[in-house]
Amino acid sequence: MVACPYFSRRCPLATTYSRRFLSLALSGVLAGSLVPATALAADGGGEALADLSSEVAESGADLPEVEQTEEGELAQSWRYIDGIPENVWLEEAEEAGITPYGAFVDVPDSYRATWSRSNGINTYTDRRNPNEAGTIIKVPGVRELGVDISYYNNEKGGVYKPIDWAQMRADGVTFAIIRIGDGGTGGRFFVDPWFVRNVQGARAQGIKIGVYVYSRALYLEGDRFSVTNEVTNTLQQLEAAGLKPGDMALPVYLDMEDTSQRALPSAMLGKIATAYCDALQAKGYRVGIYANQDWFKNVLTDPIFSAQNMAKNGWSRWVARYSWGAQSSGVENTDVWQFTSIGLVSGTPRKYCDVNFAFVDFKGGATTVQRTEWVSVGGKWYLRDASGNNLTGWQTVAGKQYYMDSAGVMQTGWELLGGKWYYLGGDGAKRTGWVQTGGTWYYLDGYGVMQTGWQTIGGKQYYLLPSSGAMVTGTRTIDGKTYTFDSSGALVSTGSSSVNSSTPVKTGWVSSGGKWYLKGSSGQNLTGWQKVGGSWYYLNSSGVMLTGWQRVGGTWYYLKSSGAMATGWQKVGGSWYYLKSSGAMVTGWAKVGSTWYYLKSSGAMAIGWQKLGGAWYYLKSSGAMATGWYKVGSSWYYSNGSGVMQSNRWIGNYYVTGSGAMATNTWIGRYHVNASGLWDRTR
């Protein structure tokens, strides 16, 4: 999940963070300057577009494939900066002698609410001044008090130690939600190395257990950044910890907060949550969704996330809101409220810990709630939702895809959908790869689509009849030439012409009628993806080499005028596009090198102001996402580490207004800012 998994104050990331706070601390001596000190180096004058066209070094598969993403490896969200929780950053900064506070109103939400043993189970302390005793806020309806834990809580100064769960219990902690892992490093899941030990320690002291996974899922299927990957690893780690459904009093929570997910359509977020929760409920586990107040109100807007639907489907709501003296999370039907990240809980090597109020009595046990249910009527299978309605079309259940016709009947066997053939097994699940039916072999690609013509699979050539997709064996005449295939369907002889055997066989590139063809060793037209001289080419079913934008298997590729597949940055028709090492066109957020870019749904690189997932981002003329201080027109703006423009808040000793522009020569409540935007006096 993180580039420095053994975090310490010697970590370069910690140094970076300390520099950020130092720049703010030093800004007071620069009152005569015209701009914030941190802004002087923030924009760097802008990168040249020529830099974008440089080749990005990546390692690719041996064959073109649909890669899942180019997302970065570090978690980024409202509470994570470069993969590190913000309370860890705060503690490191404090120990370095750096305070993040300027004016009293500079204390952000994250650092106002705190908790210690003296608060008991239903109050917390709200501090308007970080040095004051604070006000005790009583929260009605609290049943239990708990913590959420990851391996960051086990570390101090680069040394990892067990948590003293007996001390936690003595503080009044009755439940713990423990992190299983993170859906990313490289999208292939990062297992929290202290998950099992933390579970064992908590259970040994009679503390109730729940677990969570920090989701990076962008896709339903695949081996990277997918729900199926997160489901598989969740179940594996639950087994490793010996946690059966009846052993857990609290749910398995899917943590939805990463910046990469915020850019997804709300419907896709709904599908991701549904696929994950359905799969875990099918195994008997209780489930839930974690997000902050902003996400529940403005990002998780698909109907599946409504309070009514979540309750109906048996999904618990765990809400984060680090409040300014509030008495609730502000989200309807909240089961657990994470109200602070800087609780002072005994027993942890680290100073700070996330603390939560629970408004329900967690008694545990296996779940009996499922969002969907299989029903057999008259020998036919139907998939029904919680209201008893028959579902239709493609449906994903426990990681497998099924197709229900317009009447809701589950289909099996061959299905022609959208002009493409799919094969659904006897259990209704969509098949991929080689499939034998009726004594004949067929090949289905990764999307389940039946293939035809010449195909190179596993380094061998096969021929699938264009009329039916059936794999050929034995001797067969194709396009006037004779070929021999072994019993597995693999081509074994180069063949000969049945028309004029004395005619030399042409191989390699051949131009005919203004079109280019690639001939195999026996003179046949090759089709599909072919690698020649280190470059990939795509030839249609007739063998014609294609150029320009081409959609293959649901993915867009750009083929140069030479036919060679393009990768990296490419300028086409006045716009920049980014193509992965597989050639697949990227859309949405992508990290290239150390820089984030946003590619529109068309693939074109975005620049300027962009509103994505309810938040504003600024993309420089190079397309690079801006962070820190930067100047647009005549105004200065500030974006956090995730690129989100900040507004109506203090940034160190500077204030950014509702538009995001830094305030100058004005009063902000009791505080005045001068011509450079610096807070210079209080009334």
Side-chain angles (χ1 to χ4, degrees), residues 413-488:
W414 289 106
E415 284 291 322
L416 181 62
L417 303 169
K420 298 177 181 179
W421 284 100
Y422 298 82
Y423 186 76
L424 308 169
D427 61 352
K430 183 181 74 176
R431 299 292 195 260
T432 60
W434 286 108
V435 171
Q436 187 180 40
T437 175
T440 302
W441 285 95
Y442 302 83
Y443 187 76
L444 314 171
D445 68 10
Y447 296 93
V449 177
M450 184 190 78
Q451 303 298 290
T452 62
W454 287 101
Q455 300 291 329
T456 301
I457 303 168
K460 297 181 179 180
Q461 281 192 293
Y462 299 82
Y463 188 75
L464 310 171
L465 293 177
S467 59
S468 65
M471 182 190 76
V472 169
T473 59
T475 301
R476 177 72 60 131
T477 299
I478 303 169
D479 295 331
K481 297 181 177 62
T482 302
Y483 303 88
T484 301
F485 304 85
D486 65 18
S487 59
S488 73

Side-chain angles (χ1 to χ4, degrees), residues 74-83 214 216 257-260 591 596 641-642:
L74 300 179
Q76 302 285 354
S77 76
W78 58 272
R79 68 187 184 108
Y80 276 85
I81 302 172
D82 297 333
Y214 184 99
R216 302 282 201 94
E257 63 174 283
D258 197 73
T259 301
S260 63
K591 193 173 187 180
W596 284 95
S642 298

Side-chain angles (χ1 to χ4, degrees), residues 461 483 494 505-508 518-526:
Q461 281 192 293
Y483 303 88
T494 57
V505 175
K506 292 183 178 180
T507 60
L518 183 61
K519 301 287 187 178
S521 58
S522 55
Q524 80 278 19
N525 287 338
L526 300 179

Side-chain angles (χ1 to χ4, degrees), residues 178-399:
I178 300 172
R179 189 182 74 156
I180 290 176
D182 177 301
T185 303
R188 290 189 171 88
F189 208 86
F190 169 84
V191 175
D192 191 304
W194 278 77
F195 169 64
V196 172
R197 283 170 284 188
N198 282 332
V199 166
Q200 292 170 343
R203 294 183 72 187
Q205 292 299 322
I207 293 175
K208 298 176 183 178
I209 293 297
V211 300
Y212 75 97
V213 166
Y214 184 99
S215 179
R216 302 282 201 94
L218 303 176
Y219 307 91
L220 297 179
E221 299 178 323
D223 65 346
R224 298 178 65 218
F225 294 101
S226 70
V227 179
T228 53
N229 188 27
E230 292 182 356
V231 166
T232 298
N233 282 277
T234 297
L235 294 173
Q236 287 177 348
Q237 293 310 308
L238 288 171
E239 182 179 359
L243 290 176
K244 298 179 180 178
D247 298 329
M248 295 171 56
L250 282 80
V252 177
Y253 287 99
L254 187 67
D255 177 351
M256 303 187 76
E257 63 174 283
D258 197 73
T259 301
S260 63
Q261 287 188 333
R262 188 170 188 131
L264 294 176
S266 60
M268 186 60 183
L269 292 173
K271 291 178 180 178
I272 287 170
T274 298
Y276 185 87
C277 290
D278 281 358
L280 270 293
Q281 283 182 324
K283 297 294 184 180
Y285 292 95
R286 297 179 183 274
V287 297
I289 300 296
Y290 168 94
N292 69 0
Q293 183 192 56
D294 171 53
W295 272 61
F296 270 115
K297 291 187 173 182
N298 302 311
V299 182
L300 303 180
T301 56
D302 187 82
I304 198 69
F305 295 112
S306 72
Q308 296 75 19
N309 284 332
M310 288 187 68
K312 180 176 66 177
N313 294 328
W315 296 8
S316 173
R317 278 185 161 189
W318 178 17
V319 184
R321 182 194 185 192
Y322 304 159
S323 75
W324 291 44
Q327 292 182 292
S328 75
S329 72
V331 175
E332 185 182 358
N333 287 7
T334 295
D335 294 325
V336 180
W337 173 20
Q338 185 189 71
F339 64 91
T340 182
S341 65
I342 56 169
L344 302 174
V345 184
S346 302
T348 63
R350 283 219 162 267
K351 176 181 179 181
Y352 294 129
C353 184
D354 296 345
V355 187
N356 304 263
F357 293 132
F359 301 95
V360 294
D361 291 318
F362 289 111
K363 297 180 180 179
T367 183
T368 57
V369 177
Q370 286 192 324
R371 189 186 67 85
T372 57
E373 180 183 13
W374 288 106
V375 177
S376 179
V377 179
K380 298 179 180 179
W381 284 97
Y382 299 81
L383 185 63
R384 292 180 177 170
D385 63 18
S387 299
N389 301 309
N390 289 337
L391 299 176
T392 60
W394 286 110
Q395 300 293 330
T396 301
V397 180

Side-chain angles (χ1 to χ4, degrees), residues 109-145:
D109 285 7
S110 302
Y111 310 131
R112 290 221 175 185
T114 189
W115 181 93
S116 65
R117 182 174 181 170
S118 63
N119 285 106
I121 70 165
N122 63 348
T123 76
Y124 68 90
T125 302
D126 179 55
R127 305 171 304 166
R128 300 306 171 98
N129 178 336
N131 298 315
E132 71 178 15
T135 303
I136 301 299
I137 306 296
K138 186 173 182 179
V139 179
V142 177
R143 305 289 185 87
E144 298 186 48
L145 182 108

